Structure formats: structure tokens, C-alpha cells
């Protein structure tokens, strides 16, 4: 009989507990998505115009994407060190912004606030990298669901933190920045020693699929609950005790997934014996690269049916291992890895597929981030008084898009052995049509854009990291992911910082010729963003073509990775 201390140690090293703790880290690591709620407060308090607010938004986006240090640090330092650095940056950066906006500190120049927001938001890269690296290493055969759920909670964090903010009923609007500075600090310091690789590939169970289904169920319940709370708050003037009760219910749902590792460790009838898989791993010859068998296969073998071809290749692999062990043959060294093997970032940058994925993200996710960053002003231009509702709504659909992106893209590769980037092309088509719908000034456009852009933008960040890990390996996944994350601010720098803000200020000047030089410009009507959305719609269609090129180029790779797996 296993004693309780041993059970506790097993619990603390269980990969499902690490996964749940990573979900909690991610549930407060998407604070950049709250910029739509923060920017109106900064704008009104500091008297900024839209171009100045856009400059702060670009600083936020760049901070959210420059994660080279975090990615490199994950390869040499424990995950808790990575998370702690992120906490320090987040608390310091947004703490200074809060002290400036509420008047505790003298008014700082715009460039100083840009630096503070850059530093604070850059902390997210450490949270994201730590959670994702431990997740894909602990669940190497379930990358789509793991990345989708983790990135989903990052997308949901804006709604969670906003609800926590409403619970406390702060008299000062700037307190929402205080919540952004303090909330992630408390949560991540509490779990940072749990989040780490724990040899999860040796903890595989047949019940893993059931556990993932349970998590998907919690995700759907959580999203439905949050959406119901938002609708209720929008339709009814709730009193403070009701808001507190609803927020407590939300936090209980966020904590609920911890029941999965508790059940698996303390109540599961029998534990998984990893000896068989451990022996399999240890018996493999690390000097033999099985992709070299591709060079030994003839066109005759390629033309065989899939089952027969796999048998022939397996036979060649066995002969190659034996020959290498006997010293009878020297396995030739390659100039570089093949797709599906481990790449360094420098090696990946020399591959057309990696660059095509990056530029497709620049166009599509850059467009999505432009809408997210300008959502507060979009609501204001259409006459909506409370942008927090739409910010939370886009956060919820961002969450659902990420979860669904991971789930459905996994079906595409597992069931049909088709390239995962085809899912990316599909969501980009939907993005293009929703942006065109807004550009035409159609009724209810702000709701359509909030739902579609939130979900489709989120889906990108479940699909792309999973595809990158499949095509370019797990060894340098942190560096690869953080480079791809540069795509969003690269697009936002142009689309939001130049196009959207320039058109907005131009239309605002036309509408208000009498505004003084030091006063903030405000634009009203669909014209404020309709031209911008039309331009973004075209860019998303270009992104579709780039994604489909990746699909065409990687069809054979995915067929070899997943073609012989049972459905």
C-alpha cells in the first residue's frame, strides 16, 4: 500500500497537475488583451489623442512578442526562474503605469509610459513560454489540445481579470491597471514551482483522452458561464453582492480542473507502469537518424500501398540499426535536419515553410490584434458607453477559438493526416469576411467582429505553435514560438500604429473642426474604422494564399507523420 507522503510526491510530479497549474498561469498571462479597457482610462486621464494611444498599443504589442530571452532561458534555466522574471517585469511595468495614471507619481512623458507598458507586457512572454514548453514536453503526443487549452486560458484572462476588477468595485477607474499589475503576481508566485517538465511521456495513460474531454467540458462551461454573466450585467443593473457571488462562481470553475490530477493520483484504481515505454526509449540508438531511411527508399517503395510501404521502411530501419551496432555501416551525416526533426531557430529561418507561416501570421494575426487593440475606440465611435463588455466578449471568444483550434486541427492531422496549416487558412477566410461585413457598415457589425475576430485570432495561436513543433521539433520550441509571436506586433505596428490611427484621427478632424490643439480627438460613426477593416479584409485574403502554399508544401510530411496512425 502506498503511503500518503508518497502519494503527495506523486501528485506534485503528476503531469496533469503541471498542466492545470499552467492553465492557471495562462489565465492571467493575457493581460495585453485588456488594453481595450485600459486605453480609454489612460486617454481620458492623460489627455492623449488616438495616435498617442496607438503608440502605447504598439509598445504593448512589441513587449508581448519579443520573447527571445524567455525562449533561450527555458533551455538553460528552471521554469520557475523564467516565471519569476516575468512576474517582476509585469509588476514593475504596470505598477508604474498605475501610479502615474492615478496621480501618485508626477506625469511621465509618453516615451516613459511606452517603456513601462513594454516592460510590463513583456512579462507575458515568460509566462507563455514557461507554460507552453512544459506543456508540450509533458504531452508530446497531444500538442494540439495542450497548446489550444493553454493559449485559450491566456485569451480568457482578460475576461477573468475584468470580472475580478468589477467584484472589488473600486471607486477609481485606474484601479483596473492595479489589478493587471497585482493579479498575475499573486497567482504565478503561488504555482511557479509546480510548472516544469516532469517526464510526462512516461506518464501516458489510456484515460488521457477522457481527461482531455473532461477539460474541454470545463472550458465550454466556463465560457458559457462568463458569457451569461456578461449578458446579465449588460441587461440588468446588478448589486455588488450579486457581482461578488458571480465572480466567486467563476473562480471555482477556474479551479475545477485540479480535480483531474487529484482523482488520477488518489482515487485511480491502478497507476501506469512506465517501464515498458522507458525500455523502448533507452533501447533506441541515438546515433541513428531514422529519416535517413528516406534516402534509401526507392520510387518502387514509394509507390506501394501505405501499409506495405511502412512495413518495408520499418524493415530497413531495423537492418540499419543492426548494421550500425555491428559497425558494418556508417550512417551518413546530414547537412541539416529534415522537417519533423529538431531545428534550431537559425535552421528554421532558412526554411520557406517557416517564413511563409510567419508572414501569414503578420497579415492575419496582425489584423486581429489591430481590432482587439482598437476595440475600445470602435465601441466608443458607435455610441456604446461600456467597452468592458465587448473586451470581455472578445476575450471569451478568443478562448473558445484557441480551444477549438487545437481540437479541430488535431482531428485534421490525426484522422486525415492532412497538414495542420489548412485550419489556419480556413479561419483566415472567416476573418476576411467578418472584416468586410464591418467595412460595409452592416447592422450588428461590432458583435460580429467581436465574436469572429476574437475566435479566429485565438485559433491562430493554437494551430501555429502546434504546427511549428511538428515541422521543426521540440528542442528549441521556446525560441521558435517566440519568434513566430513577433508576427502580431509586426502587423500591428503598421495596421494599428499607422493605418487605423491615421484614418481615425483624419476622420475625427473632419468631424470636429473646432477642437483645440491640446484636446483629444474623438471620431463617431462607422466611418472611423470601416476603411481600416476593408484594408484588413484584403490582407487576410493574402494570408490565406500563403497558408495554402504551406499546406501544399507539407502534405507529404504530415502523411509520413500521421498517415500510419489508427483513427
Amino acid at each position: 500500500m502506498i503511503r500518503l507522503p508518497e502519494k503527495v510526491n506523486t501528485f506534485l510530479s503528476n503531469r496533469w497537475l503541471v498542466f492545470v497549474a499552467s492553465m492557471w498561469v495562462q489565465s492571467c498571462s493575457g493581460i495585453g488583451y485588456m488594453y481595450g479597457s485600459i486605453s480609454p482610462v489612460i486617454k481620458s486621464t492623460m489627455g492623449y489623442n488616438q495616435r498617442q494611444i496607438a503608440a502605447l498599443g504598439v509598445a504593448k504589442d512589441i513587449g508581448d512578442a519579443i520573447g527571445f530571452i524567455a525562449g533561450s532561458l527555458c533551455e538553460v534555466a528552471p521554469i520557475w526562474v523564467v516565471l519569476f522574471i516575468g512576474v517582476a517585469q509585469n509588476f514593475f511595468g504596470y505598477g508604474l503605469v498605475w501610479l502615474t495614471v492615478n496621480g501618485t507619481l508626477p506625469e511621465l512623458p509618453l516615451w516613459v509610459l511606452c517603456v513601462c507598458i513594454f516592460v510590463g507586457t513583456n512579462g507575458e512572454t515568460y509566462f507563455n513560454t514557461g507554460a507552453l514548453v512544459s506543456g508540450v514536453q509533458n504531452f508530446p503526443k497531444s500538442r494540439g489540445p495542450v497548446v489550444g487549452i493553454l493559449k485559450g486560458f491566456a485569451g480568457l484572462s482578460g475576461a477573468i481579470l475584468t470580472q475580478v476588477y468589477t467584484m472589488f468595485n473600486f471607486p477609481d477607474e485606474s484601479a483596473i491597471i492595479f489589478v493587471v499589475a497585482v493579479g498575475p503576481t499573486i497567482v504565478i508566485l503561488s504555482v511557479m514551482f509546480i510548472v516544469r517538465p516532469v517526464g510526462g511521456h512516461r506518464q501516458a495513460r489510456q484515460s488521457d483522452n477522457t481527461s482531455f474531454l473532461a477539460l474541454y467540458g470545463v472550458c465550454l462551461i466556463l465560457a458559457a458561464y462568463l458569457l451569461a454573466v456578461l449578458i446579465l450585467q449588460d441587461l440588468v443593473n446588478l448589486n455588488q453582492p450579486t457581482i461578488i457571488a458571480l465572480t466567486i462562481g467563476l473562480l471555482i470553475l477556474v479551479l475545477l480542473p485540479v480535480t483531474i490530477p487529484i482523482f488520477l493520483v488518489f482515487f485511480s484504481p491502478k497507476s501506469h507502469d512506465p517501464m515498458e515505454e522507458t525500455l523502448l526509449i533507452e533501447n533506441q540508438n541515438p546515433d541513428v537518424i531514422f529519416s535517413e531511411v528516406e534516402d534509401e527508399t526507392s520510387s518502387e517503395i514509394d509507390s506501394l500501398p501505405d501499409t506495405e510501404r511502412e512495413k518495408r521502411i520499418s524493415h530497413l530501419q531495423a537492418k540499419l540499426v543492426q548494421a550500425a551496432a555491428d559497425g558494418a555501416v556508417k550512417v551518413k551525416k546530414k547537412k541539416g535536419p529534415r522537417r519533423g526533426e529538431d531545428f534550431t531557430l537559425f535552421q528554421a529561418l532558412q526554411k520557406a515553410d517557416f517564413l511563409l507561416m510567419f508572414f501569414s501570421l503578420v497579415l492575419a494575426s496582425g489584423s486581429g490584434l489591430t481590432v482587439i487593440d482598437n476595440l475600445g475606440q470602435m465601441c466608443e465611435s458607435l455610441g456604446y458607453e461600456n467597452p468592458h463588455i465587448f473586451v470581455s466578449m472578445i476575450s471569451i471568444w478568443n478562448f473558445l477559438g484557441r480551444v477549438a483550434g487545437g481540437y479541430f486541427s488535431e482531428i485534421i492531422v490525426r484522422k486525415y493526416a492532412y497538414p495542420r496549416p489548412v485550419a489556419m487558412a480556413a479561419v483566415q477566410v472567416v476573418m476576411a469576411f467578418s472584416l468586410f461585413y464591418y467595412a460595409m457598415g452592416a447592422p450588428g457589425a461590432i458583435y460580429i467582429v467581436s465574436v469572429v475576430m476574437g475566435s479566429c485570432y485565438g485559433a491562430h495561436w493554437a494551430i501555429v505553435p502546434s504546427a511549428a513543433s511538428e515541422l521543426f521539433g521540440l528542442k528549441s520550441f521556446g525560441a521558435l514560438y517566440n519568434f513566430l509571436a513577433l508576427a502580431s506586433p509586426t502587423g500591428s505596428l503598421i495596421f494599428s500604429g499607422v493605418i487605423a490611427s491615421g484614418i481615425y484621427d483624419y476622420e475625427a478632424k473632419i468631424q470636429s473642426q473646432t477642437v483645440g490643439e491640446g484636446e483629444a480627438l474623438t471620431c463617431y460613426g462607422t466611418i472611423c474604422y470601416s476603411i481600416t477593416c476593408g484594408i484588413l479584409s484584403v490582407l487576410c485574403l493574402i494570408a490565406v494564399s500563403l497558408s495554402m502554399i504551406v499546406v501544399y508544401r507539407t502534405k507529404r510530411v504530415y502523411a509520413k507523420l500521421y498517415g500510419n496512425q489508427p483513427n
Side-chain angles (χ1 to χ4, degrees):
M1 182 176 179
I2 300 178
R3 293 176 297 178
L4 182 61
E6 295 176 359
K7 283 277 190 181
V8 172
N9 290 333
T10 302
F11 176 71
L12 293 176
S13 298
N14 184 272
R15 67 173 180 167
W16 283 99
L17 177 65
V18 176
F19 186 35
V20 172
S22 299
M23 290 162 56
W24 294 338
V25 169
Q26 293 294 83
S27 69
C28 54
S29 67
I31 53 180
Y33 300 122
M34 293 189 67
Y35 188 72
S37 293
I38 294 173
S39 59
V41 177
I42 298 176
K43 184 177 181 179
S44 61
T45 304
M46 307 296 289
Y48 288 161
N49 59 32
Q50 189 59 28
R51 191 174 292 275
Q52 290 170 311
I53 289 296
L56 289 173
V58 171
K60 181 266 299 182
D61 294 337
I62 295 174
D64 191 24
I66 297 181
F68 293 116
I69 298 177
S72 301
L73 198 59
C74 271
E75 299 183 22
V76 297
I79 297 295
W80 72 264
V81 173
V82 177
L83 296 177
F84 181 78
I85 294 173
V87 165
Q89 288 193 198
N90 176 76
F91 182 77
F92 176 77
Y94 278 102
L96 284 180
V97 174
W98 173 65
L99 292 174
T100 302
V101 172
N102 72 2
T104 303
L105 292 178
E107 183 174 329
L108 298 176
L110 176 63
W111 71 268
V112 176
L113 283 183
C114 285
V115 171
C116 291
I117 287 182
F118 168 84
V119 171
T121 312
N122 188 249
E124 290 183 24
T125 65
Y126 294 85
F127 306 153
N128 280 311
T129 303
L132 288 173
V133 167
S134 63
V136 296
Q137 290 186 3
N138 288 330
F139 293 86
K141 295 184 179 180
S142 303
R143 302 176 197 184
V146 167
V147 173
I149 291 172
L150 288 179
K151 293 299 293 181
F153 271 84
L156 195 64
S157 62
I160 294 174
L161 291 174
T162 298
Q163 192 61 35
V164 171
Y165 164 73
T166 59
M167 179 181 72
F168 286 103
N169 194 27
F170 292 105
D172 185 5
E173 283 189 346
S174 67
I176 193 169
I177 307 175
F178 172 80
V179 172
V180 169
V182 173
T185 301
I186 296 173
V187 173
I188 295 173
L189 286 179
S190 302
V191 300
M192 66 182 186
F193 291 108
I194 298 176
V195 179
R196 67 204 190 279
V198 290
H201 60 283
R202 296 189 176 96
Q203 299 181 22
R205 291 173 175 235
Q206 292 183 348
S207 62
D208 283 346
N209 288 337
T210 304
S211 299
F212 274 117
L213 288 176
L215 275 183
Y216 280 127
V218 172
C219 291
L220 292 175
I221 293 171
L222 182 58
Y225 181 87
L226 261 175
L227 191 59
V229 168
L230 287 175
I231 294 173
L232 190 63
Q233 290 177 340
D234 192 29
L235 298 177
V236 182
N237 189 16
L238 301 177
N239 56 36
Q240 196 59 27
T242 303
I243 293 176
I244 293 174
L246 291 173
T247 306
I248 291 174
L250 169 64
L251 296 178
I252 290 173
L253 286 176
V254 172
L255 295 174
L256 186 60
V258 77
T259 57
I260 292 175
I262 290 175
F263 174 80
L264 290 175
V265 173
F266 293 100
F267 301 102
S268 181
K270 63 178 181 178
S271 61
H272 174 67
D273 184 5
M275 286 302 297
E276 182 177 348
E277 185 172 356
T278 302
L279 290 173
L280 177 63
I281 294 172
E282 289 176 351
N283 286 337
Q284 289 181 353
N285 188 337
D287 294 328
V288 177
I289 302 172
F290 289 126
S291 65
E292 292 296 342
V293 176
E294 296 176 12
D295 294 335
E296 308 300 329
T297 59
S298 64
S299 57
E300 178 186 356
I301 292 180
D302 286 337
S303 64
L304 292 173
D306 288 343
T307 54
E308 182 64 25
R309 181 167 54 86
E310 292 299 330
K311 290 180 181 178
R312 294 284 294 274
I313 291 177
S314 298
H315 180 64
L316 284 174
Q317 288 176 348
K319 289 176 65 178
L320 183 62
V321 171
Q322 184 61 45
D326 295 340
V329 64
K330 180 68 174 178
V331 179
K332 63 181 180 180
K333 299 296 182 181
K334 299 179 301 174
K335 294 182 179 179
R338 298 176 184 272
R339 288 174 299 187
E341 299 175 359
D342 287 328
F343 282 69
T344 65
L345 176 59
F346 179 74
Q347 290 170 331
L349 287 172
Q350 300 176 51
K351 293 296 182 181
D353 297 327
F354 189 79
L355 295 176
L356 286 168
M357 289 171 60
F358 176 78
F359 286 113
S360 179
L361 274 178
V362 169
L363 298 175
S365 69
S367 298
L369 193 58
T370 297
V371 172
I372 292 172
D373 286 347
N374 289 275
L375 189 62
Q377 282 70 44
M378 292 174 73
C379 295
E380 183 183 45
S381 69
L382 297 176
Y384 295 95
E385 296 180 356
N386 187 5
H388 299 315
I389 299 296
F390 290 95
V391 170
S392 296
M393 184 184 295
I394 207 170
S395 183
I396 291 170
W397 286 101
N398 194 349
F399 165 71
L400 288 174
R402 293 173 187 227
V403 174
Y407 177 77
F408 288 109
S409 68
E410 194 74 6
I411 291 177
I412 290 171
V413 299
R414 295 282 177 184
K415 188 172 182 179
Y416 302 104
Y418 207 70
R420 197 182 295 265
V422 75
M424 186 166 69
V427 298
Q428 288 166 350
V429 170
V430 179
M431 290 176 74
F433 279 106
S434 70
L435 288 166
F436 182 75
Y437 186 83
Y438 189 97
M440 297 301 293
I446 189 66
Y447 292 94
I448 298 296
V449 165
S450 297
V451 171
V452 173
M453 296 303 289
S455 57
C456 291
Y457 174 82
H460 277 84
W461 295 109
I463 298 167
V464 174
S466 301
S469 69
E470 289 163 337
L471 295 174
F472 305 105
L474 291 174
K475 185 176 181 180
S476 300
F477 175 73
L480 295 171
Y481 165 76
N482 280 295
F483 182 86
L484 289 170
L486 281 172
S488 289
T490 301
S492 177
L493 179 66
I494 302 172
F495 308 153
S496 180
V498 178
I499 297 175
S501 61
I503 294 174
Y504 181 97
D505 283 344
Y506 175 77
E507 295 295 339
K509 288 178 183 178
I510 293 176
Q511 293 179 9
S512 183
Q513 298 291 344
T514 59
V515 173
E517 185 178 345
E519 299 180 44
L521 292 172
T522 303
C523 179
Y524 296 100
T526 57
I527 189 62
C528 303
Y529 285 97
S530 60
I531 299 175
T532 298
C533 286
I535 295 172
L536 297 181
S537 177
V538 175
L539 295 177
C540 285
L541 290 177
I542 298 174
V544 173
S545 64
L546 298 180
S547 297
M548 290 307 298
I549 293 173
V550 178
V551 171
Y552 176 77
R553 289 173 54 88
T554 58
K555 285 169 65 176
R556 290 188 62 186
V557 179
Y558 275 90
K560 290 181 179 179
L561 286 174
Y562 296 102
N564 62 333
Q565 294 191 7
N567 293 336

